[in-house]
Amino acid sequence: MDNYEAIQALHKSLPPFSPYVPASLLPSIALILLASTFALAFYFSTLPKDTFPLRETAVASLASVLGGFGVVALFCSVGVNV
């Protein structure tokens, strides 16, 4: 029981969680990331088909990463903390 009380005292003495990115910026970040995802998806669909698809892979990967972070920022901005 002594260990539990020590952990409880430590928990009470710690500062509250403070995010690196303010919650007020999340909607703007989500809008920028998702808009760039849609722009890159349009650009990807208009690329000529190459025999070695290095440029297609790079554009699609960048759009995928931006879309993933954009969706997470959008969810966090509406209160679904993932």
Side-chain angles (χ1 to χ4, degrees):
M1 207 58 181
D2 196 27
N3 192 19
Y4 175 75
E5 292 169 356
I7 293 174
Q8 188 176 18
L10 177 65
H11 177 72
K12 289 181 180 179
S13 68
L14 292 174
F17 175 73
S18 176
Y20 292 123
V21 178
S24 61
L25 288 180
L26 287 174
S28 302
I29 292 171
L31 177 68
I32 291 168
L33 291 176
L34 291 175
S36 60
T37 299
F38 290 125
L40 284 174
F42 174 74
Y43 176 68
F44 176 77
S45 66
T46 60
L47 283 175
K49 304 301 177 213
D50 295 332
T51 57
F52 188 68
L54 184 64
R55 185 171 40 163
E56 295 173 5
T57 305
V59 171
S61 297
L62 181 61
S64 177
V65 168
L66 291 176
F69 282 112
V71 167
V72 169
L74 182 65
F75 280 173
C76 289
S77 69
V78 296
V80 181
N81 295 320
V82 293

